[in-house]
mmCIF file of all heavy atoms in Angstrom:
data_model
loop_
_atom_site.group_PDB
_atom_site.id
_atom_site.type_symbol
_atom_site.label_atom_id
_atom_site.label_comp_id
_atom_site.label_asym_id
_atom_site.label_seq_id
_atom_site.Cartn_x
_atom_site.Cartn_y
_atom_site.Cartn_z
ATOM 1 N N TRP P 9 41.024 -41.381 -2.113
ATOM 2 C CA TRP P 9 40.055 -42.407 -1.724
ATOM 3 C C TRP P 9 38.771 -41.737 -1.238
ATOM 4 O O TRP P 9 38.818 -40.722 -0.542
ATOM 5 C CB TRP P 9 40.601 -43.237 -0.565
ATOM 6 C CG TRP P 9 41.897 -43.913 -0.838
ATOM 7 C CD1 TRP P 9 43.130 -43.333 -0.904
ATOM 8 C CD2 TRP P 9 42.109 -45.284 -1.094
ATOM 9 N NE1 TRP P 9 44.090 -44.268 -1.179
ATOM 10 C CE2 TRP P 9 43.486 -45.483 -1.298
ATOM 11 C CE3 TRP P 9 41.265 -46.378 -1.166
ATOM 12 C CZ2 TRP P 9 44.030 -46.725 -1.574
ATOM 13 C CZ3 TRP P 9 41.809 -47.617 -1.430
ATOM 14 C CH2 TRP P 9 43.174 -47.787 -1.635
ATOM 15 N N ASN P 10 37.631 -42.325 -1.546
ATOM 16 C CA ASN P 10 36.370 -41.822 -1.000
ATOM 17 C C ASN P 10 36.068 -42.525 0.318
ATOM 18 O O ASN P 10 36.831 -43.388 0.771
ATOM 19 C CB ASN P 10 35.226 -41.975 -2.017
ATOM 20 C CG ASN P 10 34.893 -43.417 -2.347
ATOM 21 O OD1 ASN P 10 35.285 -44.362 -1.654
ATOM 22 N ND2 ASN P 10 34.157 -43.599 -3.436
ATOM 23 N N ASN P 11 34.948 -42.196 0.918
ATOM 24 C CA ASN P 11 34.580 -42.767 2.220
ATOM 25 C C ASN P 11 34.253 -44.257 2.150
ATOM 26 O O ASN P 11 34.247 -44.944 3.164
ATOM 27 C CB ASN P 11 33.391 -42.019 2.816
ATOM 28 C CG ASN P 11 33.787 -40.639 3.269
ATOM 29 O OD1 ASN P 11 34.946 -40.386 3.564
ATOM 30 N ND2 ASN P 11 32.833 -39.715 3.298
ATOM 31 N N ALA P 12 33.993 -44.770 0.940
ATOM 32 C CA ALA P 12 33.705 -46.194 0.760
ATOM 33 C C ALA P 12 34.975 -47.009 0.538
ATOM 34 O O ALA P 12 34.920 -48.214 0.339
ATOM 35 C CB ALA P 12 32.745 -46.388 -0.413
ATOM 36 N N GLY P 13 36.138 -46.336 0.551
ATOM 37 C CA GLY P 13 37.402 -47.032 0.380
ATOM 38 C C GLY P 13 37.785 -47.280 -1.070
ATOM 39 O O GLY P 13 38.648 -48.102 -1.346
ATOM 40 N N GLN P 14 37.159 -46.558 -1.998
ATOM 41 C CA GLN P 14 37.461 -46.708 -3.414
ATOM 42 C C GLN P 14 38.422 -45.614 -3.870
ATOM 43 O O GLN P 14 38.290 -44.459 -3.451
ATOM 44 C CB GLN P 14 36.188 -46.611 -4.248
ATOM 45 C CG GLN P 14 35.157 -47.643 -3.893
ATOM 46 C CD GLN P 14 33.794 -47.301 -4.459
ATOM 47 O OE1 GLN P 14 33.347 -46.167 -4.407
ATOM 48 N NE2 GLN P 14 33.129 -48.304 -5.011
ATOM 49 N N ILE P 15 39.358 -45.973 -4.742
ATOM 50 C CA ILE P 15 40.229 -44.955 -5.339
ATOM 51 C C ILE P 15 39.421 -44.234 -6.404
ATOM 52 O O ILE P 15 38.892 -44.854 -7.321
ATOM 53 C CB ILE P 15 41.494 -45.585 -5.941
ATOM 54 C CG1 ILE P 15 42.353 -46.207 -4.839
ATOM 55 C CG2 ILE P 15 42.296 -44.530 -6.705
ATOM 56 C CD1 ILE P 15 43.577 -46.933 -5.339
ATOM 57 N N VAL P 16 39.316 -42.900 -6.264
ATOM 58 C CA VAL P 16 38.499 -42.112 -7.189
ATOM 59 C C VAL P 16 39.342 -41.187 -8.062
ATOM 60 O O VAL P 16 38.831 -40.599 -9.015
ATOM 61 C CB VAL P 16 37.416 -41.311 -6.430
ATOM 62 C CG1 VAL P 16 36.392 -42.271 -5.818
ATOM 63 C CG2 VAL P 16 38.031 -40.437 -5.347
ATOM 64 N N ALA P 17 40.619 -41.040 -7.752
ATOM 65 C CA ALA P 17 41.550 -40.250 -8.579
ATOM 66 C C ALA P 17 42.958 -40.698 -8.231
ATOM 67 O O ALA P 17 43.223 -41.108 -7.100
ATOM 68 C CB ALA P 17 41.379 -38.761 -8.322
ATOM 69 N N LYS P 18 43.854 -40.623 -9.226
ATOM 70 C CA LYS P 18 45.248 -40.968 -8.956
ATOM 71 C C LYS P 18 46.144 -40.288 -9.976
ATOM 72 O O LYS P 18 45.696 -39.885 -11.043
ATOM 73 C CB LYS P 18 45.467 -42.475 -8.951
ATOM 74 C CG LYS P 18 45.063 -43.192 -10.200
ATOM 75 C CD LYS P 18 45.165 -44.685 -10.004
ATOM 76 C CE LYS P 18 44.470 -45.407 -11.138
ATOM 77 N NZ LYS P 18 44.472 -46.839 -10.948
ATOM 78 N N SER P 19 47.408 -40.167 -9.613
ATOM 79 C CA SER P 19 48.410 -39.639 -10.535
ATOM 80 C C SER P 19 49.750 -40.271 -10.218
ATOM 81 O O SER P 19 49.971 -40.781 -9.117
ATOM 82 C CB SER P 19 48.488 -38.110 -10.470
ATOM 83 O OG SER P 19 49.095 -37.699 -9.278
ATOM 84 N N TYR P 20 50.616 -40.244 -11.197
ATOM 85 C CA TYR P 20 51.942 -40.850 -11.068
ATOM 86 C C TYR P 20 53.003 -39.811 -11.408
ATOM 87 O O TYR P 20 52.819 -39.026 -12.355
ATOM 88 C CB TYR P 20 52.094 -42.037 -12.034
ATOM 89 C CG TYR P 20 51.111 -43.139 -11.781
ATOM 90 C CD1 TYR P 20 49.888 -43.175 -12.439
ATOM 91 C CD2 TYR P 20 51.395 -44.150 -10.870
ATOM 92 C CE1 TYR P 20 48.978 -44.191 -12.205
ATOM 93 C CE2 TYR P 20 50.491 -45.169 -10.635
ATOM 94 C CZ TYR P 20 49.291 -45.179 -11.295
ATOM 95 O OH TYR P 20 48.391 -46.191 -11.061
ATOM 96 N N ASP P 21 54.105 -39.817 -10.655
ATOM 97 C CA ASP P 21 55.265 -38.989 -10.938
ATOM 98 C C ASP P 21 54.872 -37.542 -11.217
ATOM 99 O O ASP P 21 55.131 -37.007 -12.297
ATOM 100 C CB ASP P 21 56.048 -39.578 -12.112
ATOM 101 C CG ASP P 21 57.442 -38.980 -12.222
ATOM 102 O OD1 ASP P 21 57.990 -38.535 -11.199
ATOM 103 O OD2 ASP P 21 57.968 -38.942 -13.349
ATOM 104 N N SER P 22 54.235 -36.907 -10.236
ATOM 105 C CA SER P 22 53.687 -35.571 -10.445
ATOM 106 C C SER P 22 53.624 -34.788 -9.139
ATOM 107 O O SER P 22 53.775 -35.340 -8.052
ATOM 108 C CB SER P 22 52.282 -35.694 -11.036
ATOM 109 O OG SER P 22 51.741 -34.425 -11.327
ATOM 110 N N THR P 23 53.357 -33.492 -9.280
ATOM 111 C CA THR P 23 53.103 -32.624 -8.123
ATOM 112 C C THR P 23 51.634 -32.252 -8.035
ATOM 113 O O THR P 23 51.247 -31.436 -7.209
ATOM 114 C CB THR P 23 53.932 -31.326 -8.207
ATOM 115 O OG1 THR P 23 53.580 -30.635 -9.414
ATOM 116 C CG2 THR P 23 55.417 -31.616 -8.161
ATOM 117 N N GLN P 24 50.795 -32.844 -8.902
ATOM 118 C CA GLN P 24 49.372 -32.516 -8.886
ATOM 119 C C GLN P 24 48.524 -33.729 -9.230
ATOM 120 O O GLN P 24 49.003 -34.694 -9.808
ATOM 121 C CB GLN P 24 49.067 -31.380 -9.851
ATOM 122 C CG GLN P 24 49.447 -31.656 -11.270
ATOM 123 C CD GLN P 24 49.312 -30.422 -12.145
ATOM 124 O OE1 GLN P 24 49.149 -29.309 -11.656
ATOM 125 N NE2 GLN P 24 49.383 -30.608 -13.441
ATOM 126 N N CYS P 25 47.254 -33.635 -8.852
ATOM 127 C CA CYS P 25 46.302 -34.704 -9.129
ATOM 128 C C CYS P 25 44.960 -34.047 -9.449
ATOM 129 O O CYS P 25 44.477 -33.211 -8.683
ATOM 130 C CB CYS P 25 46.177 -35.634 -7.927
ATOM 131 S SG CYS P 25 45.106 -37.056 -8.207
ATOM 132 N N ASP P 26 44.365 -34.427 -10.563
ATOM 133 C CA ASP P 26 43.105 -33.851 -11.015
ATOM 134 C C ASP P 26 41.938 -34.417 -10.202
ATOM 135 O O ASP P 26 41.729 -35.627 -10.161
ATOM 136 C CB ASP P 26 42.910 -34.161 -12.497
ATOM 137 C CG ASP P 26 41.642 -33.570 -13.073
ATOM 138 O OD1 ASP P 26 41.052 -32.662 -12.456
ATOM 139 O OD2 ASP P 26 41.225 -34.017 -14.154
ATOM 140 N N VAL P 27 41.185 -33.518 -9.562
ATOM 141 C CA VAL P 27 39.985 -33.913 -8.816
ATOM 142 C C VAL P 27 38.765 -33.139 -9.308
ATOM 143 O O VAL P 27 37.758 -33.064 -8.624
ATOM 144 C CB VAL P 27 40.174 -33.726 -7.285
ATOM 145 C CG1 VAL P 27 41.199 -34.696 -6.741
ATOM 146 C CG2 VAL P 27 40.534 -32.295 -6.938
ATOM 147 N N SER P 28 38.853 -32.588 -10.513
ATOM 148 C CA SER P 28 37.786 -31.734 -11.043
ATOM 149 C C SER P 28 36.466 -32.483 -11.251
ATOM 150 O O SER P 28 35.408 -31.859 -11.258
ATOM 151 C CB SER P 28 38.225 -31.093 -12.362
ATOM 152 O OG SER P 28 38.508 -32.077 -13.339
ATOM 153 N N LYS P 29 36.509 -33.799 -11.386
ATOM 154 C CA LYS P 29 35.286 -34.574 -11.614
ATOM 155 C C LYS P 29 34.674 -35.128 -10.327
ATOM 156 O O LYS P 29 33.638 -35.784 -10.366
ATOM 157 C CB LYS P 29 35.580 -35.699 -12.595
ATOM 158 C CG LYS P 29 35.924 -35.171 -13.979
ATOM 159 C CD LYS P 29 36.123 -36.295 -14.958
ATOM 160 C CE LYS P 29 36.174 -35.780 -16.354
ATOM 161 N NZ LYS P 29 37.393 -35.419 -16.914
ATOM 162 N N LEU P 30 35.316 -34.855 -9.197
ATOM 163 C CA LEU P 30 34.801 -35.386 -7.931
ATOM 164 C C LEU P 30 33.708 -34.488 -7.367
ATOM 165 O O LEU P 30 33.744 -33.270 -7.504
ATOM 166 C CB LEU P 30 35.929 -35.494 -6.908
ATOM 167 C CG LEU P 30 37.055 -36.458 -7.233
ATOM 168 C CD1 LEU P 30 38.046 -36.511 -6.069
ATOM 169 C CD2 LEU P 30 36.534 -37.845 -7.552
ATOM 170 N N ALA P 31 32.755 -35.109 -6.703
ATOM 171 C CA ALA P 31 31.711 -34.366 -5.995
ATOM 172 C C ALA P 31 32.319 -33.673 -4.783
ATOM 173 O O ALA P 31 33.336 -34.124 -4.244
ATOM 174 C CB ALA P 31 30.617 -35.325 -5.553
ATOM 175 N N SER P 32 31.714 -32.593 -4.367
ATOM 176 C CA SER P 32 32.165 -31.912 -3.152
ATOM 177 C C SER P 32 32.108 -32.876 -1.992
ATOM 178 O O SER P 32 31.194 -33.697 -1.895
ATOM 179 C CB SER P 32 31.278 -30.710 -2.850
ATOM 180 O OG SER P 32 31.394 -29.753 -3.868
ATOM 181 N N GLY P 33 33.100 -32.785 -1.118
ATOM 182 C CA GLY P 33 33.098 -33.656 0.039
ATOM 183 C C GLY P 33 34.483 -33.846 0.609
ATOM 184 O O GLY P 33 35.439 -33.175 0.215
ATOM 185 N N THR P 34 34.599 -34.780 1.525
ATOM 186 C CA THR P 34 35.848 -35.077 2.214
ATOM 187 C C THR P 34 36.414 -36.379 1.665
ATOM 188 O O THR P 34 35.704 -37.368 1.512
ATOM 189 C CB THR P 34 35.602 -35.202 3.725
ATOM 190 O OG1 THR P 34 35.027 -33.978 4.190
ATOM 191 C CG2 THR P 34 36.889 -35.466 4.481
ATOM 192 N N TYR P 35 37.720 -36.355 1.392
ATOM 193 C CA TYR P 35 38.416 -37.503 0.811
ATOM 194 C C TYR P 35 39.729 -37.719 1.556
ATOM 195 O O TYR P 35 40.193 -36.842 2.287
ATOM 196 C CB TYR P 35 38.717 -37.267 -0.678
ATOM 197 C CG TYR P 35 37.479 -37.144 -1.528
ATOM 198 C CD1 TYR P 35 36.821 -35.923 -1.675
ATOM 199 C CD2 TYR P 35 36.960 -38.255 -2.183
ATOM 200 C CE1 TYR P 35 35.680 -35.808 -2.450
ATOM 201 C CE2 TYR P 35 35.819 -38.156 -2.964
ATOM 202 C CZ TYR P 35 35.182 -36.925 -3.097
ATOM 203 O OH TYR P 35 34.050 -36.826 -3.858
ATOM 204 N N PHE P 36 40.329 -38.855 1.331
ATOM 205 C CA PHE P 36 41.598 -39.223 1.930
ATOM 206 C C PHE P 36 42.642 -39.262 0.822
ATOM 207 O O PHE P 36 42.425 -39.886 -0.218
ATOM 208 C CB PHE P 36 41.449 -40.599 2.587
ATOM 209 C CG PHE P 36 42.675 -41.115 3.258
ATOM 210 C CD1 PHE P 36 43.088 -40.604 4.472
ATOM 211 C CD2 PHE P 36 43.411 -42.130 2.683
ATOM 212 C CE1 PHE P 36 44.224 -41.096 5.094
ATOM 213 C CE2 PHE P 36 44.543 -42.633 3.299
ATOM 214 C CZ PHE P 36 44.944 -42.103 4.508
ATOM 215 N N LEU P 37 43.766 -38.576 1.010
ATOM 216 C CA LEU P 37 44.845 -38.531 0.027
ATOM 217 C C LEU P 37 46.044 -39.291 0.569
ATOM 218 O O LEU P 37 46.504 -39.026 1.679
ATOM 219 C CB LEU P 37 45.239 -37.079 -0.256
ATOM 220 C CG LEU P 37 46.490 -36.851 -1.104
ATOM 221 C CD1 LEU P 37 46.295 -37.386 -2.520
ATOM 222 C CD2 LEU P 37 46.850 -35.371 -1.130
ATOM 223 N N GLN P 38 46.549 -40.232 -0.221
ATOM 224 C CA GLN P 38 47.747 -40.981 0.138
ATOM 225 C C GLN P 38 48.822 -40.670 -0.897
ATOM 226 O O GLN P 38 48.566 -40.712 -2.100
ATOM 227 C CB GLN P 38 47.473 -42.475 0.160
ATOM 228 C CG GLN P 38 48.679 -43.292 0.558
ATOM 229 C CD GLN P 38 48.377 -44.780 0.571
ATOM 230 O OE1 GLN P 38 47.430 -45.240 -0.055
ATOM 231 N NE2 GLN P 38 49.186 -45.524 1.282
ATOM 232 N N ILE P 39 50.024 -40.348 -0.423
ATOM 233 C CA ILE P 39 51.132 -39.982 -1.290
ATOM 234 C C ILE P 39 52.307 -40.902 -0.999
ATOM 235 O O ILE P 39 52.676 -41.101 0.154
ATOM 236 C CB ILE P 39 51.561 -38.518 -1.038
ATOM 237 C CG1 ILE P 39 50.407 -37.564 -1.323
ATOM 238 C CG2 ILE P 39 52.777 -38.171 -1.877
ATOM 239 C CD1 ILE P 39 50.681 -36.139 -0.886
#
């Protein structure tokens, strides 16, 4: 999630999540 409360990346049934397209910054990860 970004600071505006939008989901900006997600993954299902995995041990990894691609964030290569995100801008540098602080995000919230929910698992």
Side-chain angles (χ1 to χ4, degrees):
W9 302 74
N10 65 15
N11 289 335
Q14 301 165 316
I15 295 176
V16 293
K18 57 187 167 184
S19 72
Y20 299 92
D21 195 27
S22 183
T23 59
Q24 58 188 12
C25 184
D26 182 17
V27 292
S28 61
K29 294 184 168 91
L30 296 184
S32 296
T34 302
Y35 296 85
F36 180 75
L37 171 65
Q38 181 180 21
I39 300 171

